[in-house]
Amino acid sequence: ANYFCREDWEMWLEKMLQAKEETGITFYQSHPLFRPGAIRSYDDPSQEKYFWDMYFRGLDITARSGAKWAVVHPSNDPTTTDLKTQLEVNHRQFDKVVDYAAKLGIGVAFENMVEPPAGGEKPHRFSSYPEELLELEASYNCDHVKLCWDFGHGNTAVPDRHADAIRMLGDKLVCVHIDDNLGKRDDHFVPFRGNIPWAEVMPVLKEIHFPGVLDLELGLYGKMPNDLKDEACRFTCSIAKKLQALAEG
């Protein structure tokens, strides 16, 4: 269960903040909850209210943790590819989120999403392409709305132009999610297990003066025995250091 969705969530937040103080770590970005698939609202009013209550709680926690950005999954209308309609759908969903985040002194970073396989049953997913992300960011035209690039998601949509996508996002890019796959599913592999060309891509972050952190978003443990988890964590840290070295040139 998510401790921050419980009635005693503030106690768990205080424990987290205490651990943050004791270890000297800092938080740069968060990831509030999101709806599964193409759902834009829940039929049950109580479920819809709970969703938004927890969403805004997530923004409160982001601000209290000292993080700068909350990464948000854009909404999507699967019945259309019309850009104007998709932007309207997102503004109806997220204008209140953007306004509330601004009052808290944090920003919202819209994330690129997974593109369904070509020729499959699912239609194109709005925001899977960098061009669409830029249109969404431009529609807000404010300093506290920027962008997040998820490399795994990008590998399902633009596998042959990761570097170009990052250059295209440029100074609008403030967050990244680092994970790998083979271009067909959002597997959240550790980097170098899939086919993303990390040695080619990471130096571009330095090229655009990326201001953020290398945030690894991995499905690491699975059914791994507890006595192996520390070792897996250390291995992942070595991978992160390798990526950092590539990014720094």
Side-chain angles (χ1 to χ4, degrees):
N2 188 324
Y3 292 107
F4 293 141
C5 291
R6 293 165 36 159
E7 290 185 3
D8 59 351
W9 68 274
E10 289 196 274
M11 180 194 72
W12 291 102
L13 175 59
E14 290 304 321
K15 285 180 178 290
M16 183 188 78
L17 295 179
Q18 182 180 353
K20 172 179 180 278
E21 185 71 21
E22 291 172 352
T23 58
I25 65 173
T26 58
F27 297 122
Y28 176 79
Q29 65 197 61
S30 72
H31 201 333
L33 77 169
F34 49 88
R35 304 178 196 269
I39 295 175
R40 298 197 303 278
S41 64
Y42 295 108
D43 294 333
D44 182 347
S46 63
Q47 188 178 10
E48 183 70 3
K49 180 181 183 302
Y50 179 77
F51 173 82
W52 284 113
D53 285 348
M54 293 302 101
Y55 205 106
F56 286 107
R57 181 182 293 180
L59 296 177
D60 288 330
I61 292 170
T62 301
R64 290 173 63 177
S65 75
K68 298 179 179 179
W69 298 98
V71 175
V72 170
H73 284 189
S75 193
N76 174 57
D77 183 343
T79 68
T80 181
T81 58
D82 178 68
L83 176 62
K84 182 179 178 181
T85 300
Q86 295 287 10
L87 293 178
E88 289 173 350
V89 165
N90 276 275
H91 276 268
R92 285 197 296 271
Q93 284 278 323
F94 296 115
D95 281 0
K96 57 182 177 288
V97 171
V98 170
D99 290 344
Y100 189 71
K103 291 176 182 177
L104 294 174
I106 60 176
V108 168
F110 285 107
E111 178 182 357
N112 63 310
M113 299 307 297
V114 175
E115 177 67 0
E121 295 181 359
K122 295 183 178 180
H124 165 63
R125 173 54 156 104
F126 173 75
S127 78
S128 63
Y129 297 132
E131 295 86 351
E132 294 171 329
L133 274 186
L134 286 168
E135 291 283 358
L136 181 55
E137 185 273 340
S139 72
Y140 277 97
N141 191 30
C142 61
D143 291 338
H144 55 279
V145 173
K146 297 297 180 183
L147 301 173
C148 171
W149 186 254
D150 184 303
F151 285 92
H153 294 178
N155 206 40
T156 68
V158 290
D160 56 344
R161 55 187 188 107
H162 283 284
D164 290 342
I166 294 170
R167 291 189 182 99
M168 190 181 300
L169 300 183
D171 62 0
K172 311 300 183 186
L173 183 66
V174 295
C175 299
V176 294
H177 287 166
I178 292 181
D179 53 283
D180 212 336
N181 59 49
L182 297 172
K184 298 183 182 300
R185 299 183 307 179
D186 188 25
D187 296 302
H188 290 268
F189 292 158
V190 294
F192 306 107
R193 185 184 170 192
N195 58 18
I196 294 176
W198 297 106
E200 171 190 330
V201 171
M202 296 307 290
V204 184
L205 293 175
K206 181 178 180 180
E207 179 184 317
I208 67 166
H209 305 289
F210 174 64
V213 299
L214 304 183
D215 184 275
L216 276 68
E217 193 181 63
L218 307 176
L220 183 62
Y221 292 147
K223 297 181 179 180
M224 185 182 295
N226 288 334
D227 59 345
L228 295 179
K229 289 181 179 179
D230 284 351
E231 185 176 348
C233 232
R234 285 191 289 269
F235 173 62
T236 304
C237 186
S238 296
I239 292 175
K241 290 178 180 178
K242 178 64 174 179
L243 291 172
Q244 184 177 16
L246 290 172
E248 293 175 349

